[in-house]
């Protein structure tokens, strides 16, 4: 290029044409302006084309100079034009990309985060307490047979305890029902496994019952510990640990005699009222105590159904309603709120 400029000193007219054309091309900053510059400086009517066409009329000594340098000027301008074209195209691309740019660091639309339903939170909390004590989680079917739900739990046909369960039976299948408690899991586990057994069985149970404190479906957690030399002291210590973990370290428990067909002796366990601390208030009906679960020492008759030797092993069992535990813990009065799915309720926990 410097070479061409040097040579152009030979012809002032061409030097001017070259200089103006380079300036014109260089000044174009859009594709349209560049096209205009091309027409102006390289088109048929451009000074360069006019000069080249006029070669035959030029003085003889000027002709070879203009012919040689003129073509070099044309080539140089075409090269400059191509380079400028590439430059403009890439800067237009850059501009377009910048316009379409997406800021991936912008925070997105927040997706509302849910959480576990209070029933599941309570279930998990209780499971944590017992798995921490070495218990394993077991489960069984919600559609049960009469045998597992009643008979093997020492509740033979015609036993008055059956009628208190408000059982849903399957039509046309008198031996099949929706389990009324999680206790049948005890039988299913002991049938399959040799002692020692330490299990809890959480799950849904069903009863024909519906009011402020009963829904036809609710949740229970069953517990069973069978080993050598298990006493009621172990039962009490275990359930006291549970009560303190769930309701607070200041809680105490007491046992009241009760009856369940599958435990002997049987008890109901109360926890000291967490509202008044045991002094007596409306929540605990001024007794200072709230009933939380049923329990007892496994009745030897039950071992007979699963092939355990009652002279070799002893054990205790307990069963609690998860809704009831959650209600007591959170001061709820109506159990149906669990299942209304009203977010104003659900979001509070
Ligand atoms: N299954 C009993 C019920 O639903 C609760 C229960 C009481 C379970 C005592 C037990 C127990 O394991 O020992 O009412």
């Amino acid at each position: 290029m410097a070479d061409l400029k040097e040579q152009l000193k030979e012809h002032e007219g061409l030097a001017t044409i070259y200089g103006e054309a380079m300036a014109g091309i260089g000044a174009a900053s859009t594709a349209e302006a560049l096209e205009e510059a091309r027409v102006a400086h390289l088109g048929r009517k451009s000074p360069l084309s006019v000069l080249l066409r006029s070669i035959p009329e030029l003085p003889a000594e000027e002709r070879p100079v203009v012919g040689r340098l003129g073509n070099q000027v044309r080539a140089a301008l075409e090269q400059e034009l191509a380079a400028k074209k590439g430059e403009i195209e890439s800067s237009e691309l850059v501009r377009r990309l910048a316009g379409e740019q997406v800021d991936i660091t912008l925070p997105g639309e927040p997706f509302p985060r849910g959480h576990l339903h209070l029933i599941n939170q309570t279930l998990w909390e209780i499971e944590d307490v017992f798995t921490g004590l070495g218990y394993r989680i077991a489960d069984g079917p919600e559609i049960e047979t009469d045998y597992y739900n009643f008979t093997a739990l020492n509740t033979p046909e015609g036993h008055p305890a059956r009628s208190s369960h408000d059982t849903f039976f399957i039509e046309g299948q008198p031996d099949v029902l929706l389990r009324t408690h999680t206790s049948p899991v005890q039988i299913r586990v002991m049938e399959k496994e040799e002692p020692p057994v330490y299990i809890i069985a959480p799950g849904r149970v069903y009863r024909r019952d519906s009011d402020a404190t009963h829904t036809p479906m609710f949740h229970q957690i069953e517990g069973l510990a069978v080993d050598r030399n298990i006493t009621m002291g172990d039962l009490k210590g275990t359930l006291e640990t549970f009560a303190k973990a769930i309701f607070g370290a200041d809680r105490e428990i007491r046992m009241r005699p009760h009856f369940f067909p599958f435990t002997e002796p049987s008890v109901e366990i109360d926890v000291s009222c967490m509202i008044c601390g045991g002094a007596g208030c409306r929540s605990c009906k001024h007794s200072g105590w709230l009933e939380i679960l049923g329990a007892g020492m496994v009745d030897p008759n039950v071992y007979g159904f699963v092939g355990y030797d009652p002279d070799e092993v002893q054990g205790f069992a307990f069963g609690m309603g998860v809704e009831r535990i959650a209600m007591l813990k959170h001061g709820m009065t109506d159990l149906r709120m669990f299942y209304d799915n009203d977010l104003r309720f659900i979001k509070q926990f």
Side-chain angles (χ1 to χ4, degrees), residues 276-288:
C276 61
C281 68
R282 255 191 23 216
S283 292
C284 57
K285 300 201 184 85
H286 303 283
S287 71

Side-chain angles (χ1 to χ4, degrees), residues 222-290:
E222 187 77 13
L224 175 70
V226 182
D227 206 337
R228 290 174 190 277
N229 306 317
I230 298 275
T231 69
M232 272 194 106
D234 298 312
L235 169 62
K236 189 173 185 199
T238 302
L239 294 178
E240 190 175 314
T241 302
F242 156 75
K244 286 177 186 291
I246 297 294
F247 295 112
D250 297 340
R251 301 276 68 74
E252 284 170 30
I253 63 163
R254 71 172 184 186
M255 301 202 286
R256 274 182 293 106
H258 201 74
F259 172 81
F260 296 105
F262 35 88
T263 42
E264 184 59 34
S266 300
V267 293
E268 273 188 336
I269 302 270
D270 297 338
V271 63
S272 56
C273 180
M274 51 294 262
I275 313 246
C276 61
C281 68
R282 255 191 23 216
S283 292
C284 57
K285 300 201 184 85
H286 303 283
S287 71
W289 296 95
L290 294 158

Side-chain angles (χ1 to χ4, degrees), residues 128-245:
D128 271 359
V129 174
F130 285 103
T131 52
L133 292 172
Y135 286 67
R136 187 170 56 75
I137 295 172
D139 64 12
E142 290 172 28
I143 301 173
E144 254 306 359
T145 60
D146 182 283
Y147 176 79
Y148 286 106
N149 199 78
F150 292 121
T151 309
L153 286 163
N154 201 32
T155 319
E157 223 167 295
H159 193 289
R162 285 190 173 214
S163 56
S164 67
H165 276 225
D166 301 306
T167 311
F168 286 112
F169 287 94
I170 306 295
E171 213 169 83
Q173 304 249 1
D175 291 335
V176 183
L177 45 81
L178 297 182
R179 67 178 178 188
T180 56
H181 50 176
T182 42
S183 305
V185 181
Q186 288 187 29
I187 305 298
R188 290 182 173 276
V189 169
M190 286 192 285
E191 270 184 349
K192 278 200 290 251
E193 295 175 26
E194 290 302 316
V197 163
Y198 290 87
I199 54 125
I200 53 164
R204 295 192 182 93
V205 300
Y206 301 85
R207 292 185 197 184
R208 266 192 67 190
D209 215 350
S210 191
D211 59 36
T213 52
H214 299 87
T215 46
M217 185 283 298
F218 60 103
H219 298 77
Q220 283 190 338
I221 291 188
E222 187 77 13
L224 175 70
V226 182
D227 206 337
R228 290 174 190 277
N229 306 317
I230 298 275
T231 69
M232 272 194 106
D234 298 312
L235 169 62
K236 189 173 185 199
T238 302
L239 294 178
E240 190 175 314
T241 302
F242 156 75
K244 286 177 186 291

Side-chain angles (χ1 to χ4, degrees), residues 116-132:
L116 288 180
H117 190 277
L118 180 55
I119 291 297
N120 279 323
Q121 287 183 39
T122 310
L123 267 168
W124 287 24
E125 217 178 302
I126 298 170
E127 286 173 14
D128 271 359
V129 174
F130 285 103
T131 52

